């Protein structure tokens, strides 16, 4: 892809982070970078101190740094700030982090030399991934430690992972790919560290994954409704038109299309009269729809942040170099936390439907725990325990990180966003939501198969066949259950569930 001074999209980030797309720098971007560098060079030649150019950093910004020490200053900020600890973060996170920092450098607002921009692009294109650790960012003044570990690789220091997945000294990997280490000059070390790139990259990838999972949740909710002989009348578009939340209408429409032609829905009066289905069934579009609307807001924030040039100080179009607070991660941190709340609630309502399917007193004729011979067999009893454990953890992960500011840098940085922490826990939450929906899929498909004499919807029949081909076995006597759950999890993660349904229904929202 060609990287310019603006116009980077979420799809671009996904392509680089996950698919290894190569990057080419536009001539426009290189010219803008060169122009802003000239501004920095002119300021560096003057006797007046300029933050980040000829001063220290953070609480040490009061010291004027003489010209002969400025290369050392920039090198030292990278080395000292590369202080992360804990396990390594995922390769896709590091690539997103680096690409988003490169995007801001290419904007022509940071004052780095074209050499720095070219080197960062070369490292990404070579498939070299710096070692970045779990802990080290407070989400203010940028994702400092994570970005510092990336900058360290540009200098040929520290460790990185090669395209073969093997950890090696960064200098060796650069040499192997013909990349010269960079000697940083005025402001360049600071410019490589001052960004919300880590939390933004994780937000973009979470939005991508949740876009698929909300569709999955509509499908599994529809299958559960069908297995419980619920009514699809609550999904009628005219009911959702009088409460015009767009996400709610989209979820209801998805469910209605999955259930089209079902011989199971509407039998809720056959065994024991019930006027209405339980909330976990009847209100599925309202809950999933609210999550969809939350996701839409998060995408709006991500797009705004993508359009931003986050650095301090910045080179303005009129040539002024000004300090600012744009590195504060609050806008991104809030939506990361907001999404974690929506994820926890979506998982919670899915677990309640699973529990209802397994309870003979509420499942309207299904055997206890969907077991073959209840008492001798336990069926899916413990699968629901696993699902409940996941939901419980999701509730803990929904506790906001962004309200937990902790001061740093001798009280200069006295309010921070904790956006990196919010992003890390959201990644875990999205992963666990996938597992929760996979368990509901196992229970709902088994419940449908146990409704002998009633014909499921065409979309449901397609799902049943695909799930069985994927290695998830149907009703019967107890067996080693973990492989079934793992197969269902893989089926959901691969996108096959939505693809299978859409072959019958057409594209779902």
């Amino acid at each position: 892809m060609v990287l310019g001074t603006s116009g980077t999209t979420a799809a671009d980030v996904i392509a680089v982070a996950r698919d290894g797309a190569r990057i080419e720098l536009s001539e426009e971007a290189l010219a803008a970078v060169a122009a802003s560098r000239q501004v920095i060079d002119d300021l560096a030649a003057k006797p007046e101190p300029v933050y980040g150019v000829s001063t220290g950093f953070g609480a040490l910004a009061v010291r004027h740094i003489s010209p002969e020490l400025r290369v050392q200053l920039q090198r030292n900020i990278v080395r000292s700030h590369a202080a992360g600890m804990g396990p390594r973060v995922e390769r896709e996170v590091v690539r997103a982090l680096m690409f988003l920092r490169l995007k801001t450098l290419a904007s022509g607002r940071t004052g780095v030399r074209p050499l720095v921009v070219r080197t960062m692009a070369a490292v990404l294109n070579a498939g070299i991934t710096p070692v970045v650790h779990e802990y080290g960012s407070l989400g203010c003044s940028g994702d400092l430690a994570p970005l510092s570990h990336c900058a360290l690789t540009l200098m040929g220091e520290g460790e990185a992972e090669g395209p073969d997945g093997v950890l090696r000294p960064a200098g060796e990997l650069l040499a192997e790919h013909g990349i010269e280490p960079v000697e940083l000059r005025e402001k360049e070390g600071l410019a490589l560290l001052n960004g919300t790139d880590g939390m933004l990259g994780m937000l973009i990838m979470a939005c991508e994954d949740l876009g698929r999972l909300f569709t999955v949740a509509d499908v599994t909710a529809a299958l559960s409704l069908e297995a419980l002989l619920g009514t699809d009348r609550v999904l009628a578009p005219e009911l959702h038109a009088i409460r015009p939340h767009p996400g709610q209408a989209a979820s209801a429409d998805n469910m209605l299309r999955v259930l089209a032609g079902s011989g199971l829905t509407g039998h809720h009066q056959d065994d024991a009269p019930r006027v209405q289905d339980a909330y976990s069934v009847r209100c599925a579009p309202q809950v999933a729809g609210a999550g969809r609307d939350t996701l839409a807001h998060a995408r709006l924030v991500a797009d705004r942040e993508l359009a931003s040039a986050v650095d301090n100080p910045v080179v303005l179009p009129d040539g002024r170099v000004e300090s600012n607070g744009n590195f504060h991660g609050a806008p991104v941190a809030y939506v990361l936390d907001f999404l974690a709340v929506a994820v926890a609630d979506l998982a919670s309502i899915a677990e309640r439907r699973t529990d209802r399917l397994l309870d003979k007193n509420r499942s309207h004729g299904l055997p206890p725990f969907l077991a073959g011979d209840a008492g001798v067999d336990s069926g899916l009893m413990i699968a629901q325990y696993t699902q409940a454990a996941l939901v419980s953890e999701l509730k803990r992960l929904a506790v906001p990180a962004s309200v937990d500011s902790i001061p740093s840098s001798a009280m200069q940085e006295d309010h921070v966003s904790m956006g990196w922490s919010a992003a890390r826990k959201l990644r875990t939450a999205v992963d666990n939501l996938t597992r929760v929906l996979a368990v509901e899929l196992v229970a709902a498909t088994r419940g449908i198969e146990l409704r002998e004499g009633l014909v499921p919807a065409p979309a449901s029949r397609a799902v049943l066949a695909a799930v069985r081909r994927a290695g998830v076995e149907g009703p019967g006597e107890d067996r080693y259950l973990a492989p079934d759950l793992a197969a269902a999890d893989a089926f959901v993660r691969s996108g096959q569930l939505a693809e299978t349904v859409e072959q019958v229904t057409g594209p779902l929202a």
Side-chain angles (χ1 to χ4, degrees), residues 25-44:
L25 298 161
S26 73
E27 291 301 320
E28 171 208 21
L30 291 171
V33 169
S36 69
R37 181 63 203 180
Q38 187 59 56
V39 173
I40 297 300
D41 286 340
D42 292 345
L43 286 173

Side-chain angles (χ1 to χ4, degrees), residues 6 40 70 110 130 157 273 278 350 352 370 376 402 405 424 450 467:
S6 62
I40 297 300
R70 290 176 189 170
T110 68
E157 300 182 16
R352 287 294 80 203
L370 305 180
V376 175
S402 56
S405 174
R424 295 305 296 165
L450 288 167
V467 165

Side-chain angles (χ1 to χ4, degrees), residues 102-358:
L102 176 60
K103 180 269 302 180
T104 287
L105 298 180
S107 71
R109 294 285 166 260
T110 68
V112 302
R113 290 168 294 158
L115 172 65
V116 175
V117 179
R118 288 193 180 99
T119 303
M120 186 174 278
V123 168
L124 280 165
N125 287 339
I128 298 171
T129 307
V131 170
V132 173
H133 298 279
E134 180 82 15
Y135 303 106
S137 174
L138 299 181
C140 200
S141 292
D143 287 318
L144 287 175
L147 282 162
S148 298
H149 282 277
C150 294
L152 202 63
T153 294
L154 298 186
M155 293 165 48
E157 300 182 16
E159 280 193 313
E161 180 185 292
D164 58 0
V166 177
L167 275 184
R168 294 170 57 191
E172 288 183 13
L173 284 167
L174 295 186
E176 192 173 279
H177 289 85
I179 302 170
E180 286 288 330
V182 175
E183 183 178 78
L184 301 175
R185 296 183 184 171
E186 291 92 345
K187 194 183 178 301
E188 290 179 337
L190 189 61
L192 287 169
L193 314 187
N194 247 319
T196 56
D197 308 294
M199 64 182 91
L200 176 58
M202 287 185 274
L203 173 61
I204 288 168
M205 288 186 284
C207 288
E208 174 79 4
D209 295 338
L210 286 173
R212 290 192 295 269
L213 287 176
F214 278 115
T215 302
V216 167
D218 293 338
V219 172
T220 59
L223 295 173
S224 291
L225 182 153
E226 195 171 23
L228 290 165
L229 304 180
T231 176
D232 58 1
R233 293 177 65 180
V234 296
L235 305 174
E238 57 269 25
L239 292 175
H240 299 278
I242 61 174
R243 194 191 192 197
H245 293 287
Q248 177 179 321
S251 284
D253 182 63
N254 280 352
M255 290 181 65
L256 199 58
R257 291 165 64 190
V258 172
L259 294 169
S262 173
L264 279 72
T265 56
H267 288 271
H268 57 290
Q269 297 285 359
D270 290 358
D271 58 336
R274 52 186 157 124
V275 177
Q276 300 176 120
D277 293 317
Y279 283 10
S280 61
V281 178
R282 189 179 2 140
C283 301
Q286 284 78 7
V287 173
R292 284 176 174 272
D293 292 342
T294 301
L295 177 59
H297 173 62
R299 282 174 165 157
L300 175 64
V301 172
D303 285 345
R304 288 172 177 163
E305 195 73 359
L306 265 175
S308 306
V310 177
D311 194 11
N312 179 47
V314 291
V315 181
L316 294 171
D318 62 6
R320 285 182 296 139
V321 176
E322 297 284 359
S323 291
N324 66 87
N326 283 343
F327 47 70
H328 199 290
V332 180
Y334 291 168
V335 294
L336 286 162
D337 279 337
F338 198 178
L339 284 174
V341 171
V343 165
D345 202 37
L346 187 63
S348 179
I349 196 170
E351 183 275 331
R352 287 294 80 203
R353 290 190 294 264
T354 301
D355 182 67
R356 183 165 290 272
L357 284 162
L358 271 54

